[in-house]
Amino acid sequence: MKPDDVTEFSGQTLIVTTSRAEQPRWIPLDDRAARRRFPAASGGDIPVGYVPTRFLASAHLADLWDGVALTANDEWITKALQIIEPRVQGLAFVKRAEERLGLPRFGLDRAAIIKLKDIKRPVPLNSMGDGMVRILPLILSLFPAKGGGFYLVDELENGLHYSVQKDLWSMLFEFAESLDIQVFAATHSWDCIEAFAQVACERSEPSVLVRVGKSVLTSEAGRSVATLFDRDSLAAVTQAEVEVR
Amino acid sequence: MGARILLVEGRADTEFYTAWCSKSGRKVDTKPPTAVGATIDSKTNALFMLPEILKQLRDGSVERLGVVVDADYKLEHGLGFDGSFKKVKDALVEGGFGHPTTVPRSSGFLFPHPDGLSPVGLWIMPDNRREGMLEDFIEASITETHELTDRGQRAIFSLASKAVSEIKTPLFKPIHQAKARSPALALKT
């Protein structure tokens, strides 16, 4: 299937549109290799932020932070970290102590430190628990997608307690709206879906839940197909816990 | 394995059909419209939500689907049998199903799917022919069910029927007489 042939959501391919490109862009659901090439497949002219399930190197996060530090978007980072730890007042990336002391670096680069209310010395982010460590790449990876781009995140809920997921979704909705970003989040977590559904029903921005499954139609022979749940359906997803995983 | 859903009009219907299916050993998840996305329970909303459930058949999340609605009465602003049947049929045809196979109306309707999905079943109360509702079906079943041949229960139902017919200024419409009488059938003698 060529991109130019695709004009609608076909079930085999996720079609995405953006103000940055005249033609719809496409993410094939059945072709794992093509999915990995997605940023390149979209022609390289669309900004993309991507958060995989694997660990993101501190050096990469520091580079992302460099592009945001002391800009109008800086406050979003603090706001995101405050979802997990309300005492956070600021973030910076600094050389690690080993490097400053001339010790072996083991390939390490700058590390994130945060300022906490009522604590005089900066605190290493890594000492704050999984939630803080996970939410930082989630927020920093948003910025490369601003201005009509795509933000792709795999297993959004990884490392995050269910009780903070609604706040995270609220922030993503707000951020996506103000910076013109389309958010695509993959999950197998009911908590994550429920939090998304609650926020989607409360807000006015367009949002949809896409369940990807295997067709049982004879003619489709087990191919991947998508089932859409719009805002009205999402209310039922929350209330009745319709099986959407 | 996907869900086996019986779509009905409301909560009271849900309780009735759940008990009925359980008694006959059928594993069915009876759902009123509010359980599948509607804000309130009603026949209109059951019909409105039908396409939402149909789209979940494609990936097997819903494996089997049955629909039970009342025919109601045309003169009382209802759809009647023809209108009710057409509403469901139109939604199913739009969802890719064929017209129902020819079966005796006493067996309900089965809408086949040409591409491998399980057929969707439809029953329009009371008997897939006349106008009416669930309570009319229940009354019509009195002579067919073991429990209702019990003399004591028959006596109670006769008393209830007499009492309802003698109400001088009923606060319900004549079409709802069966609704007034039928709770007596649930009483244990």
Side-chain angles (χ1 to χ4, degrees), chain A residues 146-222:
Chain A
K146 67 183 178 182
F150 302 136
Y151 173 71
L152 311 175
V153 52
D154 198 5
E155 308 291 357
L156 176 69
E157 75 287 351
N158 270 4
L160 296 173
H161 193 259
Y162 77 93
S163 61
V164 304
Q165 292 181 19
K166 189 179 175 191
D167 287 340
L168 174 63
W169 274 115
S170 294
M171 187 198 69
L172 287 176
F173 270 70
E174 199 176 335
F175 201 101
E177 175 68 15
S178 65
L179 292 187
D180 189 17
I181 295 170
Q182 286 192 59
V183 174
F184 294 86
T187 184
H188 293 91
S189 158
W190 171 251
D191 289 333
C192 185
I193 292 168
E194 190 173 38
F196 166 76
Q198 288 173 359
V199 175
C201 291
E202 290 170 5
R203 301 187 64 99
S204 59
E205 294 91 344
S207 54
V208 65
L209 173 68
V210 182
R211 181 182 66 206
V212 180
K214 297 293 183 185
S215 174
V216 295
L217 293 180
T218 305
S219 62
E220 293 182 329

Side-chain angles (χ1 to χ4, degrees), chain B residues 75-125:
Chain B
L75 289 178
E76 296 291 342
H77 311 294
L79 293 171
F81 170 79
D82 292 339
S84 301
F85 181 83
K86 184 175 186 310
K87 283 272 187 186
V88 177
K89 185 202 72 177
D90 288 350
L92 289 170
V93 170
E94 176 71 24
F97 285 82
H99 291 265
T101 48
T102 307
V103 291
R105 288 196 176 194
S106 59
S107 302
F109 301 97
L110 275 180
F111 291 76
H113 193 273
D115 200 8
L117 299 184
S118 295
V120 170
L122 169 66
W123 185 284
I124 296 178
M125 287 291 173

Side-chain angles (χ1 to χ4, degrees), chain A residues 11-29:
Chain A
Q12 310 306 315
T13 303
L14 182 63
I15 307 301
V16 290
T17 57
T18 169
S19 57
R20 293 283 296 262
E22 290 182 6
Q23 295 294 324
R25 299 299 181 180
W26 54 287
I27 304 173
L29 300 177

Side-chain angles (χ1 to χ4, degrees), chain A residues 25-233:
Chain A
R25 299 299 181 180
W26 54 287
I27 304 173
L29 300 177
D30 290 332
D31 185 341
R32 181 176 296 176
R35 277 206 305 272
R36 288 181 181 152
R37 292 195 306 269
F38 169 66
S42 54
D45 58 346
I46 299 176
V48 173
Y50 176 52
V51 188
T53 51
R54 63 181 164 75
F55 175 76
L56 278 178
S58 181
H60 177 64
L61 296 178
D63 288 345
L64 292 172
W65 179 75
D66 286 344
V68 186
L70 303 182
T71 69
N73 295 323
D74 196 352
E75 65 184 76
W76 283 97
I77 300 172
T78 304
K79 198 174 170 183
L81 295 173
Q82 284 172 342
I83 292 175
I84 309 292
E85 173 51 83
R87 294 178 299 167
V88 172
Q89 293 181 320
L91 168 83
F93 278 81
V94 296
K95 279 186 179 177
R96 291 179 187 271
E98 302 93 312
E99 195 171 353
R100 292 201 303 272
L101 296 173
L103 299 172
R105 287 181 48 198
F106 304 109
L108 299 172
D109 205 315
R110 289 181 293 165
I113 56 171
I114 53 174
K115 172 76 177 80
L116 293 178
K117 186 182 179 186
D118 299 330
I119 294 183
K120 290 180 180 176
R121 297 176 67 85
V123 177
L125 185 87
N126 283 343
S127 69
M128 296 295 292
D130 286 350
M132 291 289 275
V133 172
R134 173 63 175 170
I135 207 163
L136 184 62
L138 285 176
I139 186 70
L140 285 175
S141 300
L142 272 161
F143 297 106
K146 67 183 178 182
F150 302 136
Y151 173 71
L152 311 175
V153 52
D154 198 5
E155 308 291 357
L156 176 69
E157 75 287 351
N158 270 4
L160 296 173
H161 193 259
Y162 77 93
S163 61
V164 304
Q165 292 181 19
K166 189 179 175 191
D167 287 340
L168 174 63
W169 274 115
S170 294
M171 187 198 69
L172 287 176
F173 270 70
E174 199 176 335
F175 201 101
E177 175 68 15
S178 65
L179 292 187
D180 189 17
I181 295 170
Q182 286 192 59
V183 174
F184 294 86
T187 184
H188 293 91
S189 158
W190 171 251
D191 289 333
C192 185
I193 292 168
E194 190 173 38
F196 166 76
Q198 288 173 359
V199 175
C201 291
E202 290 170 5
R203 301 187 64 99
S204 59
E205 294 91 344
S207 54
V208 65
L209 173 68
V210 182
R211 181 182 66 206
V212 180
K214 297 293 183 185
S215 174
V216 295
L217 293 180
T218 305
S219 62
E220 293 182 329
R223 287 185 302 186
S224 297
V225 293
T227 306
L228 302 187
F229 296 85
D230 60 14
R231 282 181 64 194
D232 292 340
S233 308

